[in-house]
Amino acid sequence: MRIGVVSDTHGSVDHTRPAIRMLESLEVEVVLHCGDIGSAEVVAMFAPWPTHFVFGNCDYDQADLRRAIEAAGQTCHGLFGDIELAGVWIALLHSHDRGAFRSAIQSGDYALVCYGHTHIAAADKQGDTLVLNPGALYRADRHTIAVVELPTVEATHVGV
């Protein structure tokens, strides 16, 4: 299974559009959004895939975003997603809550921890856990997403 991981769209349709095209070309089956969604318009762009969303520190109107996500038939996890795909347990969060972020990594419960907030693409192995930041689609030197192959948990960053 191939999944797409995105973060920090901050409501920018113009910056999200190239990522959507890239996700289509990479034929991902599911998308994970690591927070700072920013607008219902951005939520709607992920309609081609089952998409899991978490809120970030800049998602000020969480009630409106939750309604938009649920109206789109997508999954809203609030601040923390605990997801199983292809037999792999994944933690999904924004990482602005440093305690929750450290706890997810240190728990040993997850093969993959996906996070945003820093606007910097990163992939670090901590024990048996891959800690993955796809980068950002807004306010970043280079706009990137990540693609992860499951169940092997092999990640690649892709510029958009």
Side-chain angles (χ1 to χ4, degrees):
M1 170 182 265
R2 179 176 294 149
I3 65 171
V5 185
V6 302
S7 191
D8 295 279
T9 48
H10 289 273
S12 175
V13 170
D14 289 343
H15 287 93
T16 305
R17 192 173 290 115
I20 297 299
R21 286 193 296 267
M22 182 62 71
L23 291 166
E24 289 171 343
S25 72
L26 292 169
E27 299 179 346
V28 302
E29 297 174 53
V30 175
V31 176
L32 307 180
H33 193 303
C34 302
D36 281 354
I37 305 156
S39 72
E41 292 80 14
V42 164
V43 169
M45 296 176 80
F46 291 92
W49 308 275
T51 303
H52 297 263
F53 292 89
V54 292
F55 298 131
N57 61 302
C58 292
D59 288 322
Y60 304 116
D61 196 340
Q62 294 180 4
D64 277 352
L65 283 172
R66 181 179 294 277
R67 279 191 290 276
I69 292 165
E70 291 172 355
Q74 305 291 18
T75 305
C76 180
H77 293 276
L79 293 173
F80 188 90
D82 184 49
I83 304 161
E84 186 268 326
L85 295 171
V88 175
W89 282 99
I90 303 166
L92 178 64
L93 70 165
H94 191 59
S95 88
H96 62 293
D97 178 340
R98 301 305 291 172
F101 181 54
R102 281 191 299 276
S103 178
I105 296 167
Q106 294 169 353
S107 72
D109 294 338
Y110 302 102
L112 178 62
V113 174
C114 296
Y115 72 101
H117 187 58
T118 66
H119 291 232
I120 298 169
D124 302 297
K125 195 78 168 171
Q126 296 196 22
D128 292 331
T129 303
L130 178 63
V131 182
L132 177 69
N133 186 323
L137 294 176
Y138 185 74
R139 287 190 315 212
D141 291 335
R142 182 172 176 248
H143 300 147
T144 58
I145 62 171
V147 176
V148 182
E149 297 289 342
L150 298 178
T152 58
V153 193
E154 295 173 15
T156 306
H157 286 95
V158 180
V160 296

